Amino acid sequence: MNKYLMELIGTFFLMLTVGLTVIAAPSGVIAPLAIGSVLMIMVFAGGHISGGHYNPAVSLGAWMRGSLATKDVVPYWISQLVGALLAVGAVAFLKAGVPISTMAPAVLPTFVAEFLFTFALVFVVLSTATSKSTAGNSYFGLAIGFTVMVGAFAVGDISGAAFNPAVALGISVLGLVGWSAIWMYLLSELLAGVAAAAAFQFINMEMAPLKMVTKEEIREAIHLKAKAG
């Protein structure tokens, strides 16, 4: 359960930061910097435990890549969605009485913007956090957080810069985006996750998918080594 709990905690703080910095946001660059930074922090904090996805589109891409077991996909999604909804409750309490402006994003620009930067996010995650050639690196959290920050600066005024189905759910519940628009976010982001995984695999064709090793296999290997030694 530790990896599911980590996904819940990471997504909670990501969504919490989104809500607190976007609702009645001061002028300037606070929201993109804060959101990118909290994602970076949470990836560094939990990357070694759960992979630091905090995003159903990332989990989908990681599963296609072979770095997430099939049995973990749905629990990851549930943990991420629950984390986002818990954060919505915290934001609603902390920002009680603050007026919320509901965004009415245009369909095609929103779909394209969310697809492009979710693609970039998932591609960066797969390239820095699941590639054998970059295994053990110390910059993957920074790269992932900066990708979201750049996307928020680039298309925040077009789509709201969710790049994450859990965040899309959260901003819909908060009323930052109308419910009629949620399909644009969910569809574009999940498609982007699939496309990013396919692109990664194509570019790294010589790289075999990662094999998920079970605890039973580890115990068996230790037993055989002890028996042989």
Side-chain angles (χ1 to χ4, degrees), residues 66 99 130 133 141 147 150 194 199 204:
T130 74
S133 60
T147 303
V150 169
V194 172
N204 299 276

Side-chain angles (χ1 to χ4, degrees), residues 189-215:
E189 291 157 3
L190 292 174
L191 285 176
V194 172
F200 177 86
Q201 292 291 81
F202 180 78
I203 292 171
N204 299 276
M205 290 181 67
E206 75 287 353
M207 188 183 300
L210 297 179
K211 182 180 184 295
M212 303 303 295
V213 181
T214 65
K215 291 181 179 179

Side-chain angles (χ1 to χ4, degrees), residues 86-113:
L86 289 175
V88 165
V91 171
F93 174 76
L94 294 171
K95 290 282 188 174
V98 178
I100 295 176
S101 299
T102 301
M103 187 178 186
V107 175
L108 188 56
T110 296
F111 193 95
V112 173

Side-chain angles (χ1 to χ4, degrees), residues 166-180:
V167 171
L169 175 63
I171 61 177
S172 298
V173 174
L174 284 171
L176 291 167
V177 174
W179 280 104
S180 61

Side-chain angles (χ1 to χ4, degrees), residues 37-51:
S37 296
V38 75
L39 180 58
M40 173 188 69
I41 292 166
M42 286 296 120
V43 169
F44 278 130
H48 64 292
I49 298 172
S50 68

